[in-house]
Amino acid sequence: MGMVFLICGVLCVLYYVGIVLYAGIRASFAWFWLLLGGAFFLAGAVCRISALQAAFGRIPVGVKLLGGIFLAIGLAAFLFLEGCIISGMAGSPKEPAEYIIVLGAQVKGTTVSKALHQRLSRAAEYLQEHKDTIVIVSGGQGSGEDIPEAEAMKTWLMEQGIARERILEEDKSVNTNQNIRFSRELLEDKEAVVGIVSNDFHVFRAVHIAKAQGLDAVPIPAPSSLGMYPHYMVREAFAVVKDLAAGNMVF
């Protein structure tokens, strides 16, 4: 069993390296895989080193039982949240949205990242199918970005043939909650149907944040990179917990 834990630890560290190679050293939440890898290494050491086994054996049975209960509850909650996230990944509007909001993601200098490219591609596809829909590109300027995300997004959409007059810019937000709140201020009709465009793993949380702010929000999910799904799904579960605790979203 100790060898299994050690192998899992190595896989977590290698996955961390893969995330950094794909998304850069600033990839959010990437540290989690190093932490998880460390936990596996520790578990492997406990299984293989007699002194650690003896120390673990001295822990009272009641403490072990309580720890097991908390672990089971945590795992059940995690699986429930993952189910909610997955439920939003295949959503689509039942009627044409009057507006769509494209949520920002990292811009490298002035170039949209892979994740943002996926969101914009889905938005362009929707806008070409629905000629009366207005798009709000939402995202401020962060570290390592030479221009606001909204500016890069607008330029990208115009290069795909989307008319300038169909594009509204929100260039101050730094997180999903602000994306929605600041974009809502640009809506002429606050009762309009609003499509939320983001990568599929992110849509559930984004739509429920929008609903908490009084929008008639519907999901427009974009695809994500296959190899990044484990990272995205784990990160998103923690993000849902964070936004629920902050009162930013409702089920």
Side-chain angles (χ1 to χ4, degrees):
M1 191 63 183
M3 183 57 67
V4 172
F5 284 134
L6 293 175
I7 291 173
C8 288
V10 170
L11 291 175
C12 286
V13 172
L14 291 176
Y15 189 56
Y16 167 81
V17 173
I19 292 170
V20 170
L21 291 175
Y22 177 87
I25 193 66
R26 292 190 178 93
S28 63
F29 206 69
W31 56 265
F32 170 83
W33 297 99
L34 286 180
L35 182 65
L36 184 61
F40 277 125
F41 287 138
L42 179 60
V46 169
C47 291
R48 297 175 67 86
I49 300 175
S50 57
L52 290 177
Q53 288 180 333
F56 183 77
R58 289 194 293 270
I59 298 175
V61 174
V63 174
K64 293 180 183 178
L65 179 60
L66 188 61
I69 292 172
F70 277 117
L71 182 62
I73 292 173
L75 180 59
F78 175 78
L79 292 176
F80 171 76
L81 291 176
E82 290 298 326
C84 292
I85 293 166
I86 292 171
S87 72
M89 293 173 69
S92 60
K94 295 181 180 179
E95 58 182 292
E98 297 170 60
Y99 296 87
I100 62 173
I101 300 173
V102 187
L103 304 183
Q106 184 183 25
V107 169
K108 299 179 180 179
T110 60
T111 304
V112 300
S113 61
K114 296 173 184 176
L116 187 52
H117 186 277
Q118 291 161 337
R119 300 180 189 191
L120 289 168
S121 296
R122 181 67 184 96
E125 177 184 295
Y126 191 89
L127 291 167
Q128 288 160 358
E129 294 172 353
H130 303 87
K131 301 297 184 181
D132 295 327
T133 299
I134 301 296
V135 57
I136 300 174
V137 288
S138 178
Q141 183 173 347
S143 176
E145 299 177 336
D146 294 340
I147 58 175
E149 293 167 6
E151 183 179 339
M153 295 159 75
K154 180 179 180 179
T155 299
W156 193 96
L157 287 173
M158 290 175 61
E159 290 174 350
Q160 307 309 307
I162 306 302
R164 181 189 298 269
E165 56 269 21
R166 295 179 69 191
I167 306 173
L168 303 177
E169 289 183 78
E170 182 289 296
D171 60 2
K172 304 299 181 185
S173 58
V174 297
N175 55 46
T176 303
N177 187 50
Q178 290 183 4
N179 283 148
I180 304 298
R181 177 154 53 91
F182 297 161
S183 295
R184 186 177 185 276
E185 296 172 0
L186 301 178
L187 300 177
E188 291 187 9
D189 179 8
K190 299 297 191 291
E191 305 299 321
V193 176
V194 180
I196 307 297
V197 183
S198 191
N199 296 94
D200 47 13
F201 67 88
H202 186 221
V203 164
F204 171 80
R205 178 163 61 99
V207 165
H208 282 76
I209 287 175
K211 289 182 177 180
Q213 296 185 21
L215 290 180
D216 184 4
V218 293
I220 304 179
S224 302
S225 300
L226 184 62
M228 291 291 287
Y229 268 115
H231 177 62
Y232 289 149
M233 296 297 286
V234 172
R235 184 185 69 183
E236 193 63 13
F238 283 92
V240 169
V241 172
K242 179 181 177 181
D243 276 318
L244 284 171
N248 294 332
M249 63 178 289
V250 294
F251 276 103

